[in-house]
Amino acid sequence: GQNIDQPTEMTATEGAIVQINCTYQTSGFNGLFWYQQHAGEAPTFLSYNVLDGLEEKGRFSSFLSRSKGYSYLLLKELQMKDSASYLCAVFYGNNRLAFGKGNQVVVIP
Amino acid sequence: DTGVSQNPRHKITKRGQNVTFRCDPISEHNRLYWYRQTLGQGPEFLTYFQNEAQLEKSRLLSDRFSAERPKGSFSTLEIQRTEQGDSAMYLCASSLVQTGGGEQYFGPGTRLTVT
């Protein structure tokens, strides 16, 4: 089975940087994906890592260490619209995603 | 807009009734997934199709659940003899095999309430 662990909630100030961690245990690993989900809406794809290292995409960066089963999503220059749940998901077996419970980020002025 | 669409958006039904949901994926996408999401949880995989073939089903999918994708385009998910525990958001997503399959595009979901 797949085991994905994320902290449940964090609060950060507008303009700040926040790091959302994710640890996982899985078999047949084929990539680590990050999705954003606003309340009452569908998840939307943010980024993914297949190899170790940092992937940067505008204000969002994602890091992966396969040997440690660890990833993080870095959000820079936080904006109020970034208040959402951030879902870590492992792609395994070449055909499915297993999601964590999500980390609720609350951005305050 | 050519994103993933789902109908209906909300469904309230009485326990024991059957319900059917529809998903229309992005037209060129050959993979279609169904997930279930409850409050405070991430989406849980139910089943997926590649073209018209249903390739995998989760153990979460009891025999009351059935899904089809008859022509490799839209898909339906039917729940028979609904139970209160079936109350959840049912999400559909589509992707391209050629881009790896992990970058999935989700529809707005169908929220099911079983009374």
Side-chain angles (χ1 to χ4, degrees):
Chain A
Q2 321 303 315
N3 189 28
I4 300 161
D5 194 32
Q6 299 183 247
T8 54
E9 187 171 324
M10 57 176 57
T11 301
T13 307
E14 201 173 7
I17 298 173
V18 68
Q19 178 172 315
I20 303 166
N21 297 319
C22 172
T23 56
Y24 64 89
Q25 293 175 304
T26 185
S27 55
F29 177 85
N30 278 304
L32 192 293
F33 287 73
W34 286 95
Y35 282 78
Q36 180 191 60
Q37 187 173 27
H38 286 101
E41 297 182 13
T44 54
F45 168 76
L46 282 180
S47 71
Y48 81 99
N49 298 67
V50 177
L51 301 175
D52 291 353
L54 188 69
E55 292 285 340
E56 297 191 76
K57 209 174 174 183
R59 294 191 299 114
F60 299 94
S61 304
S62 57
F63 171 84
L64 175 66
S65 168
R66 289 172 296 170
S67 62
K68 295 181 180 176
Y70 169 68
S71 175
Y72 68 73
L73 179 70
L74 200 67
L75 283 63
K76 304 173 193 171
E77 301 167 16
L78 272 180
Q79 301 176 8
M80 298 299 290
K81 67 179 181 180
D82 296 330
S83 291
S85 180
Y86 291 85
L87 299 159
C88 169
V90 171
F91 192 58
Y92 65 101
N94 271 336
N95 56 28
R96 59 154 87 175
L97 284 169
F99 285 87
K101 292 183 178 182
N103 182 318
Q104 185 68 42
V105 172
V106 178
V107 181
I108 56 175
Chain B
D1 184 71
T2 56
V4 179
S5 62
Q6 291 186 247
N7 288 288
R9 294 292 306 277
H10 302 274
K11 178 71 178 179
I12 300 173
T13 192
K14 292 186 177 178
R15 191 175 54 188
Q17 297 295 304
N18 299 344
V19 294
T20 301
F21 310 141
R22 176 177 169 130
C23 171
D24 287 87
I26 293 171
S27 57
E28 62 268 27
H29 283 184
N30 40 27
R31 278 197 178 161
L32 187 150
Y33 296 80
W34 285 99
Y35 294 88
R36 179 170 65 192
Q37 188 175 25
T38 54
L39 199 61
Q41 303 294 316
E44 294 175 296
F45 170 82
L46 293 177
T47 188
Y48 92 98
F49 294 82
Q50 185 161 313
N51 300 313
E52 66 274 12
Q54 186 174 19
L55 296 186
E56 197 165 345
K57 293 194 289 186
S58 165
R59 283 170 288 180
L60 292 175
L61 213 65
S62 77
D63 56 7
R64 296 185 298 106
F65 288 70
S66 62
E68 293 183 344
R69 194 183 183 197
K71 296 181 181 177
S73 56
F74 73 93
S75 175
T76 57
L77 177 70
E78 181 183 17
I79 309 173
Q80 295 182 326
R81 305 180 304 280
T82 52
E83 302 172 357
Q84 287 186 321
D86 297 331
S87 295
M89 176 72 86
Y90 289 83
L91 293 164
C92 173
S94 68
S95 70
L96 273 173
V97 173
Q98 293 87 333
T99 57
E103 183 178 339
Q104 298 181 10
Y105 293 82
F106 283 81
T110 295
R111 182 167 294 284
L112 174 65
T113 303
V114 182
T115 61

